[in-house]
Amino acid sequence: MTSTDGGTDDPRGIADADFDRLVALVRTLLDVPTALVSLVRPDEQVFPGAVGLPPEWQVRRSTPLSHSFCQYVRSTAQPLVVRDAREVEVLSANRAIEDLGVIAYCGVPLVGPDGDVVGAVCAIDSRPRDWTDADVAVLTQVAGLAASELRLRALTREAETARRAAERVGEQTRMLLRFADTLADAVTLADVAAAVTAAAAEVLGTSWTCLALVDPATRRLRLVPTPGHAGSTAAVGDAGSVPLGTEHPPSAALATGRAVFLPDAAATAERFPSARPPLPVPGPVGASAHLPLPVAGSLPGTLSLVWDAPRAFGPVEQGLVLALAGYTAQAVARAVLLARQESVATTLQRALLGELPDPPGLDLAARYLPSSAGAQVGGDWWDAFDDSDGATVLVIGDVTGHDVAAAATMGQLRSMLRGFAFEGGGPPARALDRLDAAVAGLRTGALATALVSRVDGTDDGRRVLSWSNAGHPPPLLRTPDGRIEVLASKPDLLVGLDPARQRHTHSVDLAPGSTVLLYTDGLVKRRRTDLDEGIAQLTAHFAADEGGSLDDLLDLLLEGVRGSTDDDVALLAVRVR
């Protein structure tokens, strides 16, 4: 895969699967034929993400600026919203109108790793269109994801460049590589602090390490807690922090932007007579080094290293310590960036999940819980709505993976399935048949489990649940007398495997007071626990419900799950009043 920072000489090689998934999500959310992630160069624009261009341009992945609307987004660093380009003087002669079919255009700035606008994320329609504020908001969120991806790749390239350079310098190189390996899997700030503590002890022989970041609320340098670190457990007030300024070694390093090397306790006492460590230090303090972290994004901080004996800081020693600080700064920046990226992606996914309806005679409740690992966003979803006949449709599904790509695929499948299932009167199997055909015809490459059900009323006042199961865990039915029934009809194939295979619909009567639970496998699958055992445990918890609200029930079922699963969890429950 080629670089997406504008550094390739071959625009046809710029195609990038991650950005293609983002624009596919834009096309689904905004219902447009074409969407692009565009990087604008001095004489052309290239498209690492593109969907819906005419075939010739889709292959080329680039156009001259004579065909570019995105150049104006980059030059102004502002969104460009155009209902009909033929009516705009500066755009009416643009070749994109004739060659690419660009009539309506909505584009927002794409910010590169250096903070400059490098291009745009845009949606295009081949006919006039009045864009809404919501359309611009969706594009802005997706542009944030794309910008985060560019920044993350730039940081990764910087780390890799530093690692390759270190391989050329003997023993110092090997020491730095061991440190880099320790930080490789650090995802959160706590991970970074733990990795730095371990690596500094192994490589440099430190007895104590402190990673601290500026707390914007208190304007103090606050320790990042490290599991197992002396004194790193919860602190109150100003414990675990030092004020900004020049009275303490770490805050002085941050204020001046220069490393502070103190060879022994006497040097520390002479230069900082009133300074105290932010937390109790295990053992005597000899030498110490305090280093600013210059690339830690919007959370600048410091790294403090402490030895239990005096130490001379020669050029080689200082070089190792400064290199360690550089790696730490990159890891902190990466952790902060990942946290922001996860926040944007999770917000987008929660927006996709929508709101629950309020059908007469039924109570509904739902939950979505991201995995405890990875991008905190994934392919699990629930959906509930009233179809065109007035029946209540309930959907639960799970696309393989728990990352932004899975969320993008989930958005496509959910939108298509919602449209198919809204056409009332048909059995749930029909909606899944149509989804199979769409997945195959559109070549989305999606693979997912799903369960589509509907609750209908009968002429004699009964309620009937009908469902079709595409490889999904079976729903559970709790009768008014507290008995749990696993609706374990033989499931059909997963969505996306075989559009020609027939699907089946099953049904059961729902007495007043009955509760039906739909869930994804993240609720019942654990390490060293198979699916059947997990469903049995869920059945026992479901039976223990004391008849409270559905929200109370779902909270009960999620107890012990948060933070303990590597998969996403979606829950949807319906109760007949």
Side-chain angles (χ1 to χ4, degrees):
M1 181 173 63
T2 57
S3 167
T4 54
D5 61 359
T8 178
D9 293 326
D10 181 7
R12 292 169 297 178
I14 198 70
D16 187 294
D18 292 331
F19 291 105
D20 278 348
R21 283 188 283 267
L22 285 180
V23 295
L25 178 61
V26 170
R27 182 164 71 170
T28 299
L29 294 176
L30 300 190
D31 191 23
V32 292
T34 305
L36 305 172
V37 172
S38 172
L39 300 176
V40 180
R41 299 173 174 173
D43 58 352
E44 65 174 352
Q45 61 180 355
V46 297
F47 310 123
V51 61
L53 287 171
E56 174 189 358
W57 299 98
Q58 185 72 29
V59 171
R60 289 180 58 180
R61 293 283 182 140
S62 69
T63 74
L65 294 184
S66 59
H67 293 65
S68 174
F69 285 23
C70 296
Q71 62 179 310
Y72 302 109
V73 177
R74 183 184 183 186
S75 64
T76 63
Q78 296 292 327
L80 177 61
V81 179
V82 179
R83 179 183 182 277
D84 189 335
R86 297 167 298 187
E87 300 174 357
V88 179
E89 181 178 355
V90 72
L91 299 176
S92 60
N94 194 291
R95 296 283 299 279
I97 296 175
E98 178 179 355
D99 293 348
L100 305 182
V102 181
I103 300 300
Y105 174 94
C106 183
V108 300
L110 172 61
V111 178
D114 296 329
D116 298 324
V117 176
V118 296
V121 174
C122 66
I124 295 170
D125 209 329
S126 56
R127 56 187 178 181
R129 171 168 173 162
D130 293 315
W131 304 96
T132 68
D133 291 343
D135 295 336
V136 177
V138 168
L139 285 174
T140 300
Q141 289 181 321
V142 174
L145 291 174
S148 296
E149 183 67 17
L150 288 177
R151 289 194 295 272
L152 182 58
R153 293 181 183 189
L155 288 171
T156 301
R157 287 194 298 272
E158 292 174 8
E160 181 63 16
T161 299
R163 188 186 67 81
R164 287 197 300 266
E167 290 175 349
R168 296 189 290 267
V169 291
E171 182 61 26
Q172 180 180 355
T173 297
R174 289 189 288 273
M175 296 172 74
L176 290 175
L177 282 177
R178 287 204 300 273
F179 177 76
D181 289 339
T182 303
L183 272 179
D185 296 328
V187 175
T188 67
L189 289 174
D191 292 340
V192 174
V196 169
T197 298
E202 176 189 356
V203 175
L204 299 173
T206 58
S207 60
W208 191 73
T209 303
C210 175
L211 175 64
L213 301 178
V214 172
D215 182 348
T218 62
R219 301 301 299 166
R220 297 176 69 90
L221 266 173
R222 189 167 296 279
L223 173 72
V224 176
T226 306
H229 195 292
S232 67
T233 53
V236 296
D238 290 336
S241 69
V242 297
L244 298 183
T246 58
E247 300 302 315
H248 292 74
S251 55
L254 183 64
T256 62
R258 296 184 177 184
V260 175
F261 291 99
L262 301 170
D264 51 38
T268 303
E270 179 181 355
R271 184 169 174 184
F272 301 97
S274 60
R276 294 290 183 273
L279 291 172
V281 178
V285 175
S288 62
H290 308 270
L291 309 120
L293 302 182
V295 293
S298 61
L299 291 176
T302 60
L303 176 65
S304 294
L305 309 174
V306 178
W307 290 264
D308 57 9
R311 194 178 191 90
F313 292 102
V316 173
E317 183 96 7
Q318 290 191 23
L320 282 171
V321 169
L322 292 171
L324 188 154
Y327 276 106
T328 303
Q330 292 176 10
V332 170
R334 184 173 67 244
V336 172
L337 179 61
L338 286 172
R340 289 173 178 169
Q341 185 180 29
E342 290 163 7
S343 176
V344 173
T346 302
T347 300
L348 183 58
Q349 181 163 28
R350 292 188 184 280
L352 284 171
L353 292 178
E355 301 290 337
L356 288 168
D358 186 20
L362 299 177
D363 293 325
L364 298 176
R367 294 286 189 277
Y368 170 77
L369 183 69
S371 69
S372 59
Q376 298 291 306
V377 63
D380 288 25
W381 87 92
W382 57 261
D383 200 3
F385 54 91
D386 294 332
D387 70 10
S388 59
D389 280 352
T392 299
V393 178
L394 309 172
V395 180
I396 197 86
D398 182 0
V399 174
T400 302
H402 42 272
D403 54 17
V404 173
T409 302
M410 176 273 287
Q412 291 180 293
L413 296 188
R414 179 184 180 277
S415 296
M416 290 190 290
L417 187 54
R418 170 176 272 243
F420 298 147
F422 178 76
E423 301 175 9
R430 181 181 301 171
L432 285 172
D433 284 335
R434 296 188 65 185
L435 181 62
D436 275 328
V439 168
L442 296 174
R443 299 179 180 178
T444 64
L447 189 65
T449 68
L451 190 145
V452 179
S453 62
R454 53 182 286 158
V455 180
D456 291 279
T458 64
D459 293 339
D460 58 3
R462 293 181 296 113
R463 299 272 187 172
V464 176
L465 174 75
S466 58
W467 75 93
S468 184
N469 189 339
H472 200 78
L476 301 182
L477 168 63
R478 189 179 194 273
T479 61
D481 60 3
R483 182 173 52 87
I484 306 298
E485 181 179 350
V486 180
L487 302 181
S489 56
K490 183 178 180 181
D492 296 326
L493 290 177
L494 276 66
V495 172
L497 281 181
D498 185 0
R501 185 69 64 90
Q502 181 181 4
R503 295 194 177 277
H504 304 86
T505 296
H506 315 274
S507 62
V508 66
D509 286 347
L510 299 179
S514 299
T515 302
V516 177
L517 177 69
L518 310 182
Y519 54 95
T520 56
D521 60 6
L523 184 66
V524 292
K525 286 177 64 177
R526 297 286 189 281
R527 297 183 182 95
R528 298 181 295 277
T529 301
D530 63 25
L531 184 62
D532 290 338
E533 183 180 349
I535 292 176
Q537 293 174 358
L538 175 61
T539 299
H541 291 145
F542 194 12
D545 176 36
E546 297 180 352
S549 69
L550 284 185
D551 286 321
D552 291 339
L553 169 63
L554 297 191
D555 289 340
L556 171 68
L557 297 180
L558 286 174
E559 284 184 4
V561 174
R562 189 179 303 275
S564 66
T565 176
D566 292 333
D567 200 359
D568 312 284
V569 177
L571 285 172
L572 180 59
V574 59
R575 176 176 291 163
V576 181
R577 294 175 190 161

